[in-house]
Amino acid sequence: MTSARTRDRLVQRLKDHGIRSEAVLNQIRKVPRHLFVDEALASRAYEDTALPIGLGQTISQPWVVARMTEALLEDLAGATVLEIGTGCGYQTAVMAPLVKKIYTVERLPELMKKTRQRLRQLDIYNVQFRPGDGWEGWPKYAPYDGIIVTAAAPELPEKLLQQLAPGGRMVIPVGPPGFQDLLLVARRNDHFEEVSLGAVSFVPLIQG
Ligand code: SAH
């Protein structure tokens, strides 16, 4: 159930659903998603669906991870990326080899601890972790070429917009449960441009 053939089937499905980036598809093929979920769910790890990971949180759907990564990294090779909502670290692991450095923020320290170990076991070292509130971003290493938020915010977080470099982009689900829109926000010199990438379903970005 976790074989190369099972993974190839997932990759084919993502291609059929419009994912074009070979680099991203390769990462989906490579990253062992079954190691990011409970053993009881491992047999479903290569289905294109979100799954529960405990503490009321989920591992994102592979298509969403692929779409967000593709949109964020289009012309950002060598980028530094801020990630909000580390969770189990699947999105982090898919993105890590495609960028220079990821700074990732998670509000549940327990989850973060496990994720840190998991990524180390997978030989991923270009990730720096911080337990804390993602609404604040991580000012110390700002500005970022890319910002990826993997929990839904009711509106665009002002502090994250401020931490985006000119020419940088942010992908973020915005809206209430059931009505979330995945936005791609590009920072030009003096303004922000928004494009919608379609409807999505994420757990909420908790306030405070
Ligand atoms: N990126 C994950 C999915 C994350 S689920 C994946 O690849 O599967 C969303 C995560 O956001 C959860 O772990 C949740 O604890 C975290 N989160 C929610 N609100 C947050 C906040 N204000 N700051 C930081 N993390 C937050």
Side-chain angles (χ1 to χ4, degrees):
M1 292 310 280
T2 59
S3 67
R5 188 138 40 96
T6 313
R7 297 188 199 193
D8 284 343
R9 219 179 290 131
L10 172 60
V11 167
Q12 187 56 49
R13 187 187 151 93
L14 300 191
K15 274 190 191 167
D16 294 346
H17 285 78
I19 303 300
R20 290 283 162 267
S21 163
E22 280 301 326
V24 171
L25 290 167
N26 244 331
Q27 277 304 101
I28 296 282
R29 189 179 287 112
K30 264 213 240 153
V31 176
R33 192 169 184 256
H34 62 282
L35 300 183
F36 291 75
V37 297
D38 270 359
E39 248 171 90
L41 286 172
S43 66
R44 299 190 54 200
Y46 298 94
E47 291 176 14
D48 188 21
T49 170
L51 294 168
I53 57 165
L55 300 171
Q57 304 305 326
T58 53
I59 180 170
S60 296
Q61 181 191 350
W63 184 85
V64 170
V65 170
R67 188 70 192 95
M68 288 177 87
T69 310
E70 186 175 75
L72 186 72
L73 300 180
E74 205 170 336
D75 42 22
L76 282 183
T80 57
V81 172
L82 173 68
E83 178 184 53
I84 305 299
T86 322
C88 65
Y90 179 65
Q91 169 74 67
T92 324
V94 167
M95 198 163 51
L98 307 178
V99 301
K100 188 164 149 213
K101 178 105 193 189
I102 301 175
Y103 297 90
T104 190
V105 180
E106 167 59 53
R107 64 181 284 276
L108 300 173
E110 223 182 305
L111 196 55
M112 212 196 65
K113 198 172 152 209
K114 278 194 208 152
T115 297
R116 193 198 289 266
Q117 284 167 0
R118 181 182 290 122
L119 295 191
R120 207 173 287 148
Q121 276 159 11
L122 293 172
D123 288 332
I124 295 171
Y125 299 110
N126 60 336
V127 179
Q128 202 159 322
F129 296 85
R130 182 191 193 191
D133 180 10
W135 284 92
E136 300 296 320
W138 194 342
K140 186 170 174 191
Y141 299 104
Y144 302 95
D145 304 312
I147 299 181
I148 182 166
V149 184
T150 65
E155 78 252 6
L156 286 174
E158 185 54 41
K159 289 186 180 164
L160 295 186
L161 291 173
Q162 286 166 12
Q163 291 172 33
L164 196 58
R169 345 152 146 242
M170 168 156 74
V171 277
I172 176 170
V174 173
F179 298 93
Q180 297 166 6
D181 200 11
L182 186 60
L183 297 183
L184 175 63
V185 182
R187 180 169 202 166
R188 308 296 172 209
N189 281 326
D190 53 352
H191 68 287
F192 293 93
E193 282 170 17
E194 275 175 43
V195 197
S196 165
L197 302 178
V200 284
S201 178
F202 277 87
V203 296
L205 186 68
I206 308 281
Q207 307 247 21

